[in-house]
Amino acid sequence: MSSLHSGSGRSCRVGVALAVLLLTCGCSSRGSDWMSLYTAVRVSWENRDAPASLGDAAAIPYATLGIRIDEGREQILVLATDESGERLWTSGTAVALSTRNGRIIRTAGLGTDLTGFITGNDRREDWTRPHAYAWTADFRDLGLFSVSVVCDVRPVGIDPIVILGKQFDTLKVEETCRSEMIGWSFSNTYWVSPATGRVWRSIEHVHPKGPTIEIELLRPPLSQD
């Protein structure tokens, strides 16, 4: 915890810089420039302290998200901005991601990043019923833009999970997705509060050549999803 608090001023400056970059990216998928965001993160954290361990997460007085890439070591992301339902999470490992309604909608610093995301429905999903979810994606590193993706979402049943020693009786939801445009198919899993619709944990794929990303809320934001 001492490393996080000693760098609090630097973290605030980073959060402000990221927020400005996110706002200047604009709302359009093509206008999003997350490579610039990634560059800013790397410069800001050039002399950063080591990231906090998972055991420190409960003591961090900010909203935090755990992220695991391809079943690697879990890292901690801190909420930088929470604006109109879109949340920007950043870390001392030069990784950043944005979420909306519990879904990852942009990433930076992974090497294979989702650089743009548009959906026709940004309202909170009803995870308790089967439904379709359509979105379009930009993959700047592949030179692919406005890639159409359609997902079939299906609740499976109540599946308790444990986060930082606390049990949550969540609804497990599975979705199968496909993009006919690029011949890409994949499956995601979400663990959702049946009462509030808050996504506590998810395993997601957001890039045709990217890793499996697992995220979980360690300390939720004050605002509801």
Side-chain angles (χ1 to χ4, degrees):
M1 271 306 300
S2 58
S3 64
L4 268 179
H5 286 294
S6 65
S8 60
R10 182 168 65 253
S11 297
C12 289
R13 290 193 297 272
V14 171
V16 171
L18 291 173
V20 171
L21 279 169
L22 184 63
L23 290 173
T24 57
C25 282
C27 296
S28 68
S29 181
R30 291 179 184 273
S32 299
D33 191 352
W34 275 64
M35 289 307 295
S36 296
L37 171 62
Y38 176 42
T39 300
V41 173
R42 294 199 63 174
V43 171
S44 300
W45 283 321
E46 185 175 358
N47 298 312
R48 65 186 180 274
D49 295 323
S53 68
L54 181 58
D56 293 329
I60 299 175
Y62 311 103
T64 51
L65 191 75
I67 179 173
R68 181 177 288 111
I69 307 298
D70 280 340
E71 300 183 353
R73 176 175 174 265
E74 185 162 28
Q75 304 288 329
I76 295 175
L77 306 183
V78 178
L79 182 64
T81 63
D82 187 351
E83 185 69 25
S84 301
E86 185 165 326
R87 294 170 178 158
L88 175 64
W89 307 83
T90 67
S91 79
T93 58
V95 171
L97 61 82
S98 185
T99 62
R100 179 182 288 275
N101 297 329
R103 293 177 179 271
I104 299 172
I105 61 171
R106 293 186 188 91
T107 66
L110 299 180
T112 51
D113 288 300
L114 172 61
T115 51
F117 178 100
I118 292 178
T119 180
N121 184 3
D122 281 331
R123 293 175 299 176
R124 189 170 66 180
E125 286 185 71
D126 182 359
W127 296 94
T128 64
R129 64 175 183 82
H131 62 279
Y133 186 88
W135 50 286
T136 60
D138 291 351
F139 307 110
R140 184 168 183 161
D141 61 314
L142 300 179
L144 297 173
F145 302 94
S146 298
V147 175
S148 298
V149 181
V150 178
C151 299
D152 294 319
V153 184
R154 181 177 64 90
V156 177
I158 297 299
D159 186 20
I161 61 173
V162 176
I163 299 177
L164 295 179
K166 183 176 180 179
Q167 180 171 305
F168 298 88
D169 292 327
T170 62
L171 175 67
K172 184 178 181 179
V173 179
E174 295 180 348
E175 70 174 1
T176 56
C177 305
R178 63 194 179 278
S179 173
E180 301 295 345
M181 290 178 60
I182 59 175
W184 179 37
S185 61
F186 57 96
S187 298
N188 295 332
T189 307
Y190 304 86
W191 287 264
V192 186
S193 167
T196 66
R198 168 168 278 164
V199 178
W200 283 98
R201 177 180 291 162
S202 68
I203 299 175
E204 301 181 54
H205 302 83
V206 298
H207 191 286
K209 298 184 181 299
T212 300
I213 304 173
E214 180 178 355
I215 60 174
E216 62 181 5
L217 277 175
L218 304 178
R219 182 188 291 272
L222 294 178
S223 63
Q224 184 54 265
D225 290 344

